[in-house]
Amino acid sequence: KIKLLNAAWAIQPERLRNIQEFLIEGSAGALIEGPADPYTIDKGVAVVPIYGVLTKRASVLQRIFGGTAMNDTADLLKKLAAAQNVSAIVLNVDSPGGTVDGTLELADIVKAIGKPVVAYANGIMASAAYWIGSAADWIVCGNTSDVGSIGVVQTHYDTSEADKKKGLKRSFVYAGKYKTVGNSAAPLDKGSKAYIQNGVDYVYSLFVDAVARGRGLRKEAVIATEGRLYIGQLAKAQGLVDQMGGLDDAGLQARKMVVGKAHGVTTQKVKPTAPQTFVDAYKTLQAETHCSLEDAMKMAVNKYPALHRAYLEGRA
């Protein structure tokens, strides 16, 4: 319990809050259905579900919130990579992310499968789930699916006031300056916060590097997303996904890639696209930042002066 509370997560903050409230208060909130659907194989394409909160190993969180144990998925992918009746794999992803622990390892396995792998953003592919999905050869996204949230979060709980009200006082006998960093018996001081921040920044750098390599993007472009979620076409414009469509489209793309691989054809991933008009520019900025139309237009004027000039001159 304490390990999960203090762990670094690559997950949507609101989902993390639900998990932490359950761990602290024992309140499950809305129960999610039981185990994830089993994988299927259709015409040589294995479809593997990656649903709900991701944790390294199976835990109580899967029973309460639904979710995926990444070690189990890793074992399954290794099995499918060696299976004679499987020529390609589709990752059917509907997940807000999960623990950092286990994510890098699973993403590396996806990258090394040796068969075409297509990830499908089926509702949400965020944080750790996107880290894993970005390792696929191709990403298909639903028109209303949320993609991205490239970032890392870690929470510190200060229970000192609650302990005081209960008449509790905790003392630590320890060796090593940083052994008790982040303990909940006291407020987080600047030195402790800096120590934890260093760890979060390091994991974030691994996340950024993985996405940049997997998607063929510049690291600066990945960092510039600043943890945002992008919906449908906006994710494609950022180069975070390659194609709009559904699960059937992902399966079809996987089969095309099998044929292409047999003929030595490499599938090129979609690159970010710059807005072509000033209207496109400010609408995109408004959708990305959730600001007012006026603020979006002001940002677009500064960011895309050439498009603004063309707009004023009636050329675009």
Side-chain angles (χ1 to χ4, degrees):
K1 173 179 174 179
I2 297 301
K3 183 178 180 181
L4 284 172
L5 280 172
N6 294 334
W9 293 74
I11 191 172
Q12 285 300 95
E14 64 271 17
R15 200 62 185 271
L16 177 58
R17 185 169 59 251
N18 292 340
I19 292 169
Q20 290 170 332
E21 286 173 356
F22 166 72
L23 291 172
I24 293 170
E25 302 173 8
S27 173
L31 292 178
I32 307 300
E33 69 277 0
D37 297 341
Y39 74 93
T40 60
I41 300 177
D42 180 29
K43 298 177 183 178
V45 177
V47 179
V48 176
I50 299 180
Y51 297 160
V53 177
L54 309 179
T55 55
K56 185 174 183 178
R57 298 181 180 85
S59 71
V60 67
L61 295 181
Q62 271 77 51
R63 295 198 297 272
I64 301 300
F65 295 96
T68 298
M70 289 184 278
N71 277 2
D72 291 346
T73 301
D75 291 341
L76 174 58
L77 291 178
K78 290 176 184 177
K79 173 184 172 183
L80 295 174
Q84 296 298 315
N85 64 330
V86 174
S87 56
I89 296 171
V90 170
L91 305 177
N92 186 9
V93 183
D94 187 6
S95 168
T99 61
V100 167
D101 191 20
T103 299
L104 184 149
E105 292 79 7
L106 181 53
D108 284 346
I109 288 170
V110 170
K111 195 76 174 175
I113 282 175
K115 297 176 179 180
V117 179
V118 175
Y120 170 52
N122 184 4
I124 184 168
M125 183 193 291
S127 295
Y130 185 73
W131 189 335
I132 294 163
S134 70
D137 301 299
W138 192 260
I139 301 179
V140 178
C141 177
N143 285 314
T144 59
S145 293
D146 291 320
V147 174
S149 190
I150 301 168
V152 181
V153 59
Q154 189 165 344
T155 304
H156 172 262
Y157 279 88
D158 175 9
T159 64
S160 57
E161 287 300 318
D163 288 348
K164 186 177 180 180
K165 291 178 181 179
K166 295 176 183 177
L168 300 176
K169 185 175 181 179
R170 284 180 281 166
S171 299
F172 297 91
V173 179
Y174 62 97
K177 179 179 178 180
Y178 295 100
K179 185 63 179 176
T180 61
V181 161
N183 75 80
S184 63
L188 196 63
D189 59 59
K190 289 184 179 180
S192 296
K193 184 177 181 180
Y195 177 81
I196 294 172
Q197 184 68 57
N198 285 339
V200 169
D201 290 344
Y202 173 69
V203 174
Y204 177 60
S205 72
L206 296 178
F207 195 169
V208 169
D209 288 349
V211 172
R213 288 195 309 272
R215 297 299 306 159
L217 299 172
R218 294 181 299 107
K219 291 181 185 178
E220 293 80 6
V222 179
I223 293 171
T225 65
E226 295 185 322
R228 294 186 185 94
L229 273 176
Y230 297 90
I231 302 175
Q233 286 283 358
L234 293 176
K236 186 179 179 185
Q238 292 291 325
L240 299 182
V241 305
D242 301 290
Q243 175 186 347
M244 307 308 299
L247 185 57
D248 289 343
D249 297 300
L252 180 61
Q253 176 63 26
R255 294 185 182 92
K256 288 180 179 178
M257 293 172 71
V258 171
V259 174
K261 185 176 181 180
H263 292 83
V265 177
T266 303
T267 304
Q268 297 298 318
K269 295 181 179 180
V270 170
K271 298 297 182 183
T273 55
Q276 300 302 305
T277 68
F278 182 69
V279 175
D280 288 341
Y282 72 68
K283 284 186 176 179
T284 298
L285 288 169
Q286 184 182 27
E288 289 177 358
T289 62
H290 306 289
C291 66
S292 68
L293 180 61
E294 182 180 357
D295 287 341
M297 293 182 75
K298 289 178 180 177
M299 284 190 287
V301 168
N302 293 326
K303 191 170 183 179
Y304 302 104
L307 292 180
H308 184 232
R309 285 196 299 271
Y311 176 75
L312 293 177
E313 295 167 4
R315 293 185 285 110

